[in-house]
Amino acid sequence: MQHTYPGLDLPPPPPEASIEDSPASCMPSLCLPCPRLQLSTSAHPPSDFILFHPLFRRYVKHASLVERCYPLERTEDSAPSSNELSYLVYYVQSKPAKLTKVGAYLSKRIAKDVQRRRRPDVCVGLRIYDALLDACARDLNFFAKDVLSSLDSVLAADDLELAKRATHTFALFCRSHSGSTLGIDKHLCSLYSHLIRTFVAYMRSRDAANIALGLCGVQAIADSQATYADDCYYELPLVASAIASRIAVAPTPKSAVPSSIEEQLAAISTNALPSDEQLGLQAWRCVETLVRRSHGQHSRIIVAEIFR
């Protein structure tokens, strides 16, 4: 069957060759299949041509850079390959617009790893996000939705160790997120609000590890500049109400030594659950941060919810 291609004047096809007409050196039984006898009639180029041809290689460079960051032998404590991660960071810093492709690919990779329960791969992917958040904080808007989407899928896996890893990444996100685009990007606003409600739900749990995890997430929210933006004040009543309910059932802490979110996450374990006093201390730290950083309408909302 002869294919026609509009706009191209192709010469007529050569006469079909048969086995009898082929020379003895081209007999299929004596050598490799003859290319003259196996003409491809596919209208699409092979995948190897797309992946490795110089004209198409630039479309998959971001994917190859991300994949190289994954070490060959991975455990839950594995870190991304340092040299490859450094090059990936350099690549996106020199071309910030590439963060869109890198973030989208990494988000799909993490979602697939969560679905297939590849815990080491999920941890490595979140650590790659940590490096990007630390190095590209000014260009966060290029991949903010991808980060939040990945965190949502990891937290939905109902795995304590993965949730701790995701909470650490969420804390880094909150430190870099200013909230300037929450009123413009409705999808970003929806993802961010959903994560806030997820950590509030953790706080209202009866499990001590989940409560501590929720308090770490709420502490990151309280430390974020986005919480006090004009477009995010509607989430404050929910956060303040959850903290107030935690304070009501927790004893008054005897010490007020603050600790970082990283130290709080390291202390969360199923073998050594935090005490009520430790949970109360974390809740009071959240109150202190909210009161100290709030102003105007935000202060009235926080005080009204706490002293209701």
Side-chain angles (χ1 to χ4, degrees), residues 5-213:
Y5 299 87
L8 295 180
D9 296 327
L10 300 179
E16 296 183 0
S18 63
I19 300 295
E20 291 76 13
D21 298 336
S22 300
S25 60
C26 290
M27 292 299 291
S29 60
L30 301 178
C31 63
L32 296 176
C34 181
R36 291 183 299 168
L37 302 179
Q38 293 186 351
L39 299 176
S40 175
T41 59
S42 174
H44 303 283
S47 59
D48 292 343
F49 177 83
I50 296 177
L51 290 176
F52 300 108
H53 195 278
L55 294 177
F56 298 95
R57 191 178 301 164
R58 61 191 181 94
Y59 293 107
V60 295
K61 182 176 182 180
H62 64 280
S64 63
L65 291 180
V66 172
E67 289 296 333
R68 291 173 188 172
C69 294
Y70 287 81
L72 296 179
E73 297 181 359
R74 297 186 281 274
T75 63
E76 294 182 11
D77 297 329
S78 297
S81 301
S82 58
N83 293 337
E84 284 74 10
L85 182 60
S86 298
Y87 183 74
L88 175 64
V89 171
Y90 167 76
Y91 174 73
V92 295
Q93 282 182 328
S94 58
K95 301 177 180 179
K98 297 297 183 181
L99 281 167
T100 303
K101 293 185 177 181
V102 171
Y105 180 82
L106 190 55
S107 176
K108 294 178 181 178
R109 171 68 192 266
I110 291 177
K112 184 182 297 183
D113 292 335
V114 170
Q115 184 179 6
R116 298 181 179 180
R117 299 186 180 277
R118 297 174 178 172
R119 295 177 62 183
D121 290 26
V122 175
C123 293
V124 173
L126 291 177
R127 286 186 171 94
I128 295 175
Y129 267 141
D130 293 347
L132 295 179
L133 289 170
D134 185 52
C136 308
R138 295 182 301 177
D139 303 310
L140 178 60
N141 292 333
F142 283 108
F143 64 111
K145 289 181 286 188
D146 300 314
V147 176
L148 297 182
S149 178
S150 297
L151 296 179
D152 185 31
S153 62
V154 174
L155 291 174
D158 195 19
D159 187 297
L160 179 60
E161 294 301 321
L162 292 182
K164 288 168 57 177
R165 187 69 247 170
T167 305
H168 178 270
T169 303
F170 180 70
L172 293 178
F173 175 87
C174 290
R175 293 173 189 171
S176 305
H177 186 39
S178 63
S180 57
T181 58
L182 288 176
I184 303 174
D185 195 333
K186 299 301 181 182
H187 187 202
L188 175 63
C189 184
S190 176
L191 289 171
Y192 186 65
S193 300
H194 181 70
L195 281 177
I196 291 177
R197 295 176 182 274
T198 299
F199 285 109
V200 168
Y202 274 122
M203 283 186 60
R204 299 185 184 277
S205 172
R206 296 184 178 181
D207 183 72
N210 288 339
I211 294 173
L213 198 65

